[in-house]
Amino acid sequence: MSRQRIVVLTGAGISAESGIRTFRDGDGLWEEHRIEDVATPQAWHADPMFVWRFYQARRRQMLEVEPNPAHEALADLAERHEELTLITQNVDDLHERAGNTSTIHMHGRLKTLRCERSGQTEVRMEEGDLKDEFLTCTCCAVAQRLRPDIVWFGEMPMHMEDIYAAVEECDTFLVVGSSGHVYPAAGLVNVANAAGAKTILVNLEAPVNADAFTEVHLGKAGEILPGVLKHLSEEDMQPE
Ligand code: BV8
């Protein structure tokens, strides 16, 4: 009896019940600016302190939030199912804090900062690292300014080779809490369908790419994901 290869892709919706605002619920603004206009290399170049404050506020918020039952259900699945690949569009560390230790962050992470000269990243989450002043690296002889270790709009997402390899090989592709607006993440369901995988969506409301999924479960991830995953594991136990 072969164990099914499961790939999970999460978006901002899985962290909503932990108190982290999603991009498209509410007004999706940061100080009256569209996030798509703040999370760009152009914005960083034009007004680095404005962009830096946007990320420092979100880095500070990470200290105040906790994983919710949806994060915990995925960590439990990882315990039971070694063929699980967890990919997230999110930049928070809630999957890791729930127990998923090998999460692929395709849009980067708030926890780490990146040297603008060497590209090296370092974890900087001490109290002194969370103020609004710029920070400098520890990797260069002459310390350089650190930027958020985030994939901005117009920048190449990370780990795409590993991501496509996992999705092209999977038997089940599950998306949790994503509006299906942002590419290439939103196109991964098409790669999974082309690979003959079963594609499942768990989301508060039908997203723009809902029709691409074999199964759609609408509701709050914290409330319905545990049941969906339990059913997935039971299926796995069925003899072929
Ligand atoms: C790329 C980090 C090419 C930032 C993010 C013009 C110029 C350049 C590129 C483009 C362009 N036009 C289009 C593009 C492509 C662009 C794109 O897709 N733009 C969109 C806006 C149209 N993509 C890119 O730029 C990507 N790069 O294309 O590179 C390239 C090629 C070669 C070489 C170089 C470059 C990079 C995209 C990554 C951008 N960075 N994040 C940050 O966090 O500050 S994306 C950002 O949006 C977040 O990471 C987030 O993950 C992502 C998607 O949003 P979602 O996660 O889906 O969140 P959203 O709020 O949208 O939806 C939440 C959902 O949850 C909702 O449906 C809601 O109903 C649901 N929900 C709410 N509560 C719950 C819930 N579900 C369940 N339970 C609940 N309780």
Side-chain angles (χ1 to χ4, degrees), residues 158-234:
M158 300 176 180
H159 314 297
M160 287 312 292
E161 236 175 86
D162 296 343
I163 289 171
Y164 282 123
V167 177
E168 283 159 6
E169 293 299 313
C170 75
D171 303 298
T172 300
F173 181 68
L174 167 68
V175 175
V176 184
S178 185
S179 64
H181 272 103
V182 173
Y183 286 83
L188 292 174
V189 62
N190 306 325
V191 176
N193 283 325
K198 180 178 179 184
T199 49
I200 305 170
L201 173 76
V202 170
N203 210 59
L204 186 64
E205 64 216 0
V208 288
N209 61 347
D211 295 347
F213 291 90
T214 325
E215 238 180 74
V216 174
H217 301 266
L218 297 184
K220 289 186 170 184
E223 292 169 8
I224 67 173
L225 183 62
V228 171
L229 295 185
K230 189 166 171 301
H231 180 68
L232 210 54
S233 307
E234 280 156 8

Side-chain angles (χ1 to χ4, degrees), residues 50-94:
F50 175 70
V51 177
W52 180 247
R53 289 192 300 105
F54 170 55
Y55 284 96
Q56 287 300 75
R58 291 166 67 194
R59 282 163 32 90
R60 287 190 291 267
Q61 187 197 20
M62 277 217 295
L63 303 180
E64 292 148 27
V65 296
E66 298 292 330
N68 66 58
H71 296 105
E72 282 151 13
L74 284 172
D76 294 346
L77 181 68
E79 290 264 307
R80 301 194 306 272
H81 204 101
E82 59 276 15
E83 279 86 2
L84 172 69
T85 303
L86 176 57
I87 304 160
T88 187
Q89 300 172 84
N90 299 338
V91 292
D92 62 56
D93 62 348
L94 293 176

Side-chain angles (χ1 to χ4, degrees), residues 78 86 95-96 98-104:
L86 176 57
H95 283 307
E96 288 84 355
N100 281 99
T101 46
S102 53
T103 308
I104 299 176

Side-chain angles (χ1 to χ4, degrees), residues 10-18 20-25 34-36 38-40 42 54-55 58 68 70 88-92 106-110 150-157 175-186 202-208 217-224:
T10 61
I14 199 168
S15 295
E17 289 156 87
S18 296
I20 296 184
R21 261 186 38 191
T22 67
F23 284 77
R24 286 164 190 82
D25 295 343
R34 279 170 10 109
I35 289 173
E36 276 85 6
V38 180
T40 66
Q42 294 77 9
F54 170 55
Y55 284 96
R58 291 166 67 194
N68 66 58
T88 187
Q89 300 172 84
N90 299 338
V91 292
D92 62 56
M106 65 184 294
H107 291 163
R109 298 189 304 164
L110 287 171
I150 297 288
V151 175
W152 283 325
F153 288 96
E155 294 187 322
M156 194 60 177
V175 175
V176 184
S178 185
S179 64
H181 272 103
V182 173
Y183 286 83
V202 170
N203 210 59
L204 186 64
E205 64 216 0
V208 288
H217 301 266
L218 297 184
K220 289 186 170 184
E223 292 169 8
I224 67 173

